[in-house]
Amino acid sequence: MAIGCGTHNRGLAGCLDCRRVDSAYRRRRDRMISAGIWKHRVPADTVFAHVGELQAQGMSLAAIARAANIAPRTLWSAMHTPRLWLQGSTGHAILGVTPQPSLPAGFVHSVGATRRIRALVAIGYSLSGIARALNKWVQPVLDLAWAKRPTVTEDTHQLVADLYERLSDNPGTSVRARNTARRNGWVPPVAWDDNIDDPDAEPYEVGPAPDALVDDVAIDCALAGEQVHLSPLEEHHAVHVGHDRGMSITRISIRLGMSRDKVCRLAGTPLPGIYELVA
């Protein structure tokens, strides 16, 4: 049977063949609508924009066609023929394709390594110290901490995981590292469970650690003689930092603008732990 004369619009005028094709199309459409499986046509611009996003993420037209289970020629024709709408089945099949980037052999996603490094920073380990412990240059560790590397080698991932296992239960001593984590919203190991490698996982809510309430930049400025307002906890830390730097009681007293008696008292009192701070 002929598929139409090529002149008429599916039998709205004219020949018997076109009317037959139109009647068959309408019967098929009505059956599919009744069954709930009819795919309405979709705007071509929407489909083309989605294809562009897939291509930007590394998928070729052939790969998109395979994922959509349509012929590559069909996709190529749709992309290169001016039109306002695409047939429903074709358009929905293309819109249903999601990016499928493939990782090179020996590489894994970096999300787990990034989270582990950030968690170690949050409990007091500096990025330079972490780099030394990993026997790595500092820059690659910085790139991981700031999520600039989407992938890492399996060996690097394992090195970071092993270091995390060793250090995650033993807080470091760097107040600066803790404050870096606080400013950037990096959470400590306690915020993660076994899902630390899951890109869709969210950290648990945890309260701030005592040192996360200390601004080490303000302490440095105060010890340099600048007029800076310090909280009671920061004053306590400032006295200990000054003492560790070899400053005399008198010099600390002058720089921080407090009495010698107060400096002596704070210097002789250990830094508050979590329980003293909460109490």
Side-chain angles (χ1 to χ4, degrees):
M1 184 177 70
I3 60 172
C5 66
T7 300
H8 304 135
N9 184 13
R10 278 217 319 255
L12 296 182
C15 74
L16 178 61
D17 286 339
C18 284
R19 291 199 298 271
R20 287 174 176 171
V21 170
D22 183 65
S23 296
Y25 168 80
R26 291 178 183 277
R27 288 194 300 270
R28 176 174 171 271
R29 184 192 62 181
D30 291 344
R31 288 195 302 270
M32 295 180 72
I33 291 176
S34 298
I37 58 175
W38 175 255
K39 302 291 186 183
H40 292 281
R41 63 181 184 171
V42 294
D45 287 347
T46 301
V47 177
F48 298 160
H50 184 64
V51 171
E53 292 174 0
L54 295 174
Q55 289 179 308
Q57 298 186 53
M59 294 187 71
S60 64
L61 286 180
I64 296 171
R66 285 196 300 271
N69 197 27
I70 62 176
R73 183 184 182 90
T74 299
L75 178 58
W76 190 92
S77 175
M79 294 293 295
H80 293 86
T81 304
R83 63 185 70 198
L84 295 177
W85 301 88
L86 282 184
Q87 183 180 350
S89 57
T90 301
H92 285 280
I94 297 171
L95 291 175
V97 176
T98 55
Q100 299 174 347
S102 57
L103 294 179
F107 283 79
V108 297
H109 290 291
S110 63
V111 61
T114 293
R115 287 172 175 173
R116 287 178 173 88
I117 290 174
R118 289 178 173 181
L120 292 178
V121 173
I123 61 172
Y125 291 98
S126 67
L127 288 171
S128 59
I130 292 172
R132 286 194 299 272
L134 294 172
N135 196 27
K136 298 279 187 183
W137 293 103
V138 174
Q139 191 59 52
V141 175
L142 288 173
D143 289 345
L144 277 176
W146 294 105
K148 293 183 178 180
R149 295 194 173 200
T151 62
V152 293
T153 64
E154 293 177 349
D155 290 342
T156 297
H157 175 86
Q158 193 58 52
L159 283 174
V160 174
D162 291 343
L163 182 67
Y164 180 81
E165 278 298 311
R166 295 201 307 270
L167 300 182
S168 58
D169 292 329
N170 302 288
T173 59
S174 175
V175 175
R176 187 182 298 274
R178 289 188 173 95
N179 286 328
T180 296
R182 173 181 59 83
R183 287 192 296 269
N184 292 284
W186 299 351
V187 297
V190 69
W192 295 107
D193 205 341
D194 294 334
N195 59 358
I196 193 169
D197 291 306
D198 181 359
D200 297 323
E202 295 291 337
Y204 297 111
E205 292 288 338
V206 294
D211 287 338
L213 305 175
V214 175
D215 188 341
D216 61 321
V217 174
I219 289 174
D220 287 340
C221 292
L223 289 173
E226 299 181 26
Q227 295 296 318
V228 179
H229 174 74
L230 299 179
S231 69
L233 184 60
E234 287 170 337
E235 288 181 345
H236 203 163
H237 273 261
V239 170
H240 281 262
V241 170
H243 185 268
D244 291 341
R245 292 177 181 177
M247 297 172 66
S248 66
I249 296 296
T250 300
R251 190 176 183 186
I252 294 174
S253 172
I254 295 172
R255 292 292 177 86
L256 298 181
M258 63 177 65
S259 68
R260 282 175 51 87
D261 289 341
K262 183 176 182 180
V263 172
C264 291
R265 176 170 55 81
L266 293 178
T269 306
L271 291 172
I274 184 65
Y275 299 108
E276 291 87 353
L277 183 68
V278 172

